[in-house]
């Protein structure tokens, strides 16, 4: 099992990432462009949304402004794009993911990563990936739960590059730190933007632009 903080320290650009564990969920965003970095997380009635830190500098909002976290009844949906709304509106994690595909940002074709956490602690993680033939490969991973201090990590990219290399394989089993601030501290200082953590009923939001 890998240590999550060590894994992140060794990777300057995992991109957007989701970690699901026992009574804990992480979601963070990173950015290389000024448009991607010009964001903060703000709370909403049923989760969070991204917002431009400086609206005057906002360029194309299509792939950077969305609701990463929303509730769906007693379930919690966490994604890296506007597929959150697709899933919630469908009322079904599988149906929502099957209706979407990777992001249209050639040559990266950023995968859409999503998770749903059920009230009983079971959860699913999905990644929608671009294939060389142009079709979408939709992978689903279903878990009966996680042990205390253990999480399952997936991100959009394996690391930095041009084009960016898509995450490969299954979600990675990781050891979680006791303090979520350690995860925030492990993300690359230049590229990290914001992070959401829900541990039990407690929610913490970290925003680089707000001094976190």
């Amino acid at each position: 099992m890998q240590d999550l903080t060590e894994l992140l320290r060794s990777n300057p650009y995992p991109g957007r990432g989701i970690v699901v564990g026992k009574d804990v969920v992480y979601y963070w965003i990173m950015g290389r462009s000024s448009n991607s970095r010009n964001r903060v997380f703000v709370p909403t009635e049923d989760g969070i949304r991204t917002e431009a830190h400086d609206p005057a500098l906002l360029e194309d909002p299509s792939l950077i402004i969305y609701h990463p976290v929303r509730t769906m009844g007693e379930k919690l949906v966490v994604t890296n794009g506007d597929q959150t709304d697709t899933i919630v509106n469908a009322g079904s994690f599988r149906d929502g993911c099957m209706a979407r595909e990777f992001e249209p940002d050639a040559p990266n074709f950023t995968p859409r990563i999503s998770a749903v956490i059920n009230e009983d602690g079971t959860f699913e993680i999905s990644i929608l990936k671009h294939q060389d033939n142009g079709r979408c490969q939709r992978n689903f991973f279903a878990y009966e739960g996680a042990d205390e201090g253990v999480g399952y990590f997936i991100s959009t990219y394996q690391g930095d590059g041009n084009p960016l290399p898509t995450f490969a394989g299954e979600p990675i089993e990781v050891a979680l730190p006791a303090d979520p601030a350690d995860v925030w501290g492990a993300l690359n200082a230049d590229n990290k933007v914001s992070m959401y953590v829900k541990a039990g009923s407690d929610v913490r939001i970290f925003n680089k632009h707000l001094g976190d």
Side-chain angles (χ1 to χ4, degrees):
M1 186 188 306
Q2 298 189 56
D3 181 273
L4 178 61
T5 56
E6 291 180 4
L7 183 64
L8 295 177
R9 286 193 188 99
S10 66
N11 186 348
Y13 202 67
R16 286 163 277 176
I18 297 172
V19 181
V20 182
K22 184 176 181 179
D23 296 325
V24 62
V25 182
Y26 287 84
Y27 176 67
W28 64 77
I29 58 174
M30 306 181 80
R32 299 190 302 178
S33 68
S34 58
N35 195 43
S36 291
R37 291 177 173 180
N38 178 35
R39 289 183 289 174
V40 292
F41 284 168
V42 296
T44 64
E45 184 176 339
D46 66 345
I48 60 169
R49 62 184 170 87
T50 60
E51 186 176 275
H53 174 63
D54 184 346
L57 299 178
L58 180 64
E59 299 169 17
D60 179 8
S62 61
L63 294 176
I64 66 168
I65 302 300
Y66 56 92
H67 292 87
V69 179
R70 290 186 62 188
T71 55
M72 183 172 66
E74 299 300 323
K75 306 173 189 283
L76 187 71
V77 177
V78 183
T79 91
N80 72 324
D82 62 8
Q83 72 267 27
T84 311
D85 295 337
T86 306
I87 293 166
V88 172
N89 292 340
S92 165
F93 183 70
R94 293 290 183 107
D95 290 349
C97 288
M98 291 301 295
R100 303 301 301 270
E101 62 177 22
F102 47 84
E103 294 183 355
D105 61 341
N108 295 315
F109 297 110
T110 298
R112 293 188 186 272
I113 56 174
S114 310
V116 62
I117 299 90
N118 302 312
E119 189 178 14
D120 64 359
T122 61
F123 55 93
E124 283 190 73
I125 298 173
S126 169
I127 181 167
L128 314 181
K129 303 168 65 171
H130 176 266
Q131 293 182 286
D132 290 341
N133 58 21
R135 299 188 184 100
C136 182
Q137 180 187 84
R138 298 173 177 87
N139 296 328
F140 294 87
F141 306 90
Y143 298 88
E144 294 182 349
D147 293 333
E148 193 72 38
V150 175
Y152 292 85
F153 158 72
I154 194 168
S155 60
T156 50
Y157 312 120
Q158 294 191 77
D160 210 345
N162 191 20
L164 289 158
T166 295
F167 183 92
E170 299 180 9
I172 301 169
E173 188 178 46
V174 292
L176 303 176
D179 187 350
D182 291 343
V183 177
W184 179 243
L187 292 168
N188 181 272
D190 292 329
N191 295 325
K192 69 182 179 182
V193 176
S194 298
M195 187 176 80
Y196 162 95
V197 186
K198 185 176 186 295
S201 60
D202 296 329
V203 172
R204 292 180 66 181
I205 294 175
F206 298 78
N207 285 304
K208 182 179 177 181
H209 280 294
L210 302 183
D212 295 324

